[in-house]
Amino acid sequence: MSESPTTPSAEFSTPVTLTGSRVVLEPLSHEHADGLRAVVTEGDLHRTWYTRIPAPDAVEAEIDRRLGSQARGEMAPWAVRRLDTGEVCGATTFMAVRPAARKLEIGSTFYAKSAQRTGINTETKLLLLTRAFEELRCIAVEFRTHWHNHQSRAAIARLGAKQDGVLRNNDIWPDGSYRDTVVFSILDQEWPAARTDLRYRLQR
């Protein structure tokens, strides 16, 4: 039996528009395809070996994949749009959603090179975490990244997330290499302090 859009379970996989002072997170659609192609083309992001960022000619298929996961109740996907320029500058999701356990993962995130180190990721995560903890009443939010993605690991730690552990040989990469997955999380009781720090850093 399918979930009604108003049920708590469906809420976890229903992206709603989230607006801050730097960005607006819009429910992902194919209308974002041209903007996301420009994002992954800038700096050849898709060539970074330890990430799964779509190539420019694979953006439509990646949008299809994310919307398919949303339809199955597995994911809530967003496009990230800058408010200063009006341009799409990235994408992000709630994934591995577990409504019954009140848990989810924030992931499948990428930003244009020009959007990195600008506060855009900080505000995006503040918006997502606020929805997760304060609207969906999550008890934990998880982040996962490749062991070799040191930039991502540092960014996750700056959010106030704590490292839970490393899953060795957790996946096989397209080039045949093995992925060790680093797992972080923020718990509901840790959220108030993490929220205060994120707001503080955005005001600096």
Side-chain angles (χ1 to χ4, degrees), residues 28-49:
L28 182 67
S29 75
H30 282 283
E31 293 180 2
H32 296 111
D34 287 343
L36 291 175
R37 265 191 291 274
V39 165
V40 300
T41 300
E42 183 185 327
D44 286 337
L45 291 183
H46 60 287
R47 298 189 187 280
T48 308
W49 75 271

Side-chain angles (χ1 to χ4, degrees), residues 111 116-119 121-122 125-126 129 143 149-163 184-186 191 193-202 204:
Y111 300 103
Q116 296 174 20
R117 303 183 185 279
T118 63
N121 180 60
T122 301
K125 294 303 193 294
L126 176 60
L129 288 165
F143 304 85
N149 195 342
H150 299 288
Q151 180 179 340
S152 176
R153 288 167 60 183
I156 292 169
R158 285 195 298 271
L159 298 173
K162 295 180 173 61
Q163 185 172 315
F184 296 81
S185 65
I186 298 175
W191 167 235
R195 177 183 57 202
T196 297
D197 186 60
L198 289 171
R199 288 174 175 171
Y200 171 76
R201 290 198 284 115
L202 284 169
R204 294 173 62 185

Side-chain angles (χ1 to χ4, degrees), residues 6-193:
T6 58
T7 63
S9 183
E11 273 192 301
F12 275 66
S13 56
T14 302
V16 298
T17 301
L18 303 172
T19 305
S21 61
R22 290 174 171 81
V23 297
V24 56
L25 274 58
E26 302 171 350
L28 182 67
S29 75
H30 282 283
E31 293 180 2
H32 296 111
D34 287 343
L36 291 175
R37 265 191 291 274
V39 165
V40 300
T41 300
E42 183 185 327
D44 286 337
L45 291 183
H46 60 287
R47 298 189 187 280
T48 308
W49 75 271
Y50 48 74
T51 64
R52 283 179 170 157
I53 296 174
D57 61 359
V59 164
E60 289 277 4
E62 177 61 13
I63 292 174
D64 282 337
R65 184 189 73 81
R66 296 188 185 206
L67 293 179
S69 291
Q70 179 189 347
R72 293 189 296 273
E74 301 165 350
M75 175 182 284
W78 284 272
V80 183
R81 187 182 298 278
R82 299 181 67 134
L83 290 176
D84 57 353
T85 66
E87 295 178 343
V88 171
C89 65
T92 191
T93 76
F94 284 167
M95 55 192 289
V97 299
R98 299 172 55 198
R102 289 161 49 205
K103 293 183 177 181
L104 56 82
E105 178 186 341
I106 294 175
S108 292
T109 301
F110 60 87
Y111 300 103
K113 193 81 170 178
S114 57
Q116 296 174 20
R117 303 183 185 279
T118 63
I120 283 174
N121 180 60
T122 301
E123 185 169 75
T124 296
K125 294 303 193 294
L126 176 60
L127 292 169
L128 292 173
L129 288 165
T130 298
R131 174 154 175 79
F133 285 116
E134 299 178 19
E135 297 177 19
L136 301 179
R137 299 296 174 187
C138 287
I139 63 171
V141 173
E142 193 172 274
F143 304 85
R144 296 185 175 211
T145 192
H146 198 295
W147 173 265
H148 286 280
N149 195 342
H150 299 288
Q151 180 179 340
S152 176
R153 288 167 60 183
I156 292 169
R158 285 195 298 271
L159 298 173
K162 295 180 173 61
Q163 185 172 315
D164 296 320
V166 181
L167 304 177
R168 308 292 300 278
N169 284 4
N170 183 234
D171 201 357
I172 300 176
W173 227 236
D175 65 359
S177 63
Y178 300 149
R179 166 174 153 149
D180 288 350
T181 300
V182 189
V183 184
F184 296 81
S185 65
I186 298 175
L187 306 183
D188 54 354
Q189 64 265 32
E190 298 168 342
W191 167 235

